[in-house]
Amino acid sequence: MSLEQLIEQCKKQDRKAQAALYKLYSKKLYSACLKYSRNQAEAEDNLHDSFMVIFSKIEKYSFKGSFEGWMKRVTVNTVLQKYRKEGAFEALPNNLDAEVNVEVVDEDISLDYLLKLIQELPDRYRLTFNLYVLDGYSHKEIAEMLSISEGTSKSNLARAKMALRNKIEEDTINTAANSV
């Protein structure tokens, strides 16, 4: 069955087609959920919620553009909507210059370790970091998606980078001290 036929069957609420679509895309969408979630259990919940939205809105997909891209946008928006409801984007006192440029990447850091650190960030920082750094959205787009100002988006990104850098430095010092 072609992808187009699979989508058409999903539009008719065909459970077998939905299961096949889930099997086909769940790993890729789980990766997206994992980036935006606090932990694996929350990522699994977000994946489930995202597929529920995908199946309920699949009739809106008009075969223009990438279907995988459409599903990823639905997934990211579903996760962000959850955090909006939780009040994760309420303003914090802004005492940090939003233009601070902090480099985080160290070649010796594993991707799993970095993902763990990103997941530990406060929601507003984690989501802004992921949208900007990992998914390439502009501060203007992030501001619209999260209903915040561009300055807040820039500030959240700078704070996320600073928090990551501080945690990496702290862990590096602790590792060095423990190996002595």
Side-chain angles (χ1 to χ4, degrees), residues 108-156:
D108 295 331
I109 296 175
S110 76
L111 185 57
D112 288 340
Y113 172 69
L114 188 56
L115 180 59
K116 178 185 170 289
L117 294 181
I118 292 169
Q119 288 175 326
E120 292 173 358
L121 290 170
D123 294 339
R124 63 186 59 80
Y125 302 160
R126 182 183 69 255
L127 298 172
T128 302
F129 181 87
N130 287 333
L131 288 166
Y132 187 84
V133 175
L134 302 179
D135 289 333
Y137 288 99
S138 69
H139 286 294
K140 181 178 181 179
E141 292 169 318
I142 294 167
E144 290 172 7
M145 292 170 82
L146 304 182
S147 301
I148 58 176
S149 71
E150 285 185 58
T152 299
S153 176
K154 291 176 184 178
S155 175
N156 287 349

Side-chain angles (χ1 to χ4, degrees), residues 43-91:
E44 290 168 7
D45 289 344
N46 287 334
L47 178 66
H48 177 271
D49 294 345
S50 296
F51 267 102
M52 297 301 290
V53 173
I54 288 167
F55 292 141
S56 71
K57 296 187 179 221
I58 198 164
E59 73 280 349
K60 293 182 180 181
Y61 179 69
S62 60
F63 297 96
K64 292 180 182 167
S66 160
F67 181 66
E68 184 177 328
W70 178 82
M71 288 195 318
K72 185 177 178 190
R73 278 191 308 278
V74 170
T75 299
V76 170
N77 287 333
T78 300
V79 174
L80 295 179
Q81 182 63 31
K82 175 182 175 182
Y83 290 119
R84 271 190 222 102
K85 287 179 181 176
E86 292 177 3
F89 307 123
E90 292 176 8

Side-chain angles (χ1 to χ4, degrees), residues 6 10 13-23 51 55:
L6 190 60
C10 286
Q13 303 299 314
D14 180 310
R15 297 287 182 215
K16 287 182 182 178
Q18 289 174 336
L21 190 71
Y22 179 88
K23 186 176 181 182
F51 267 102
F55 292 141

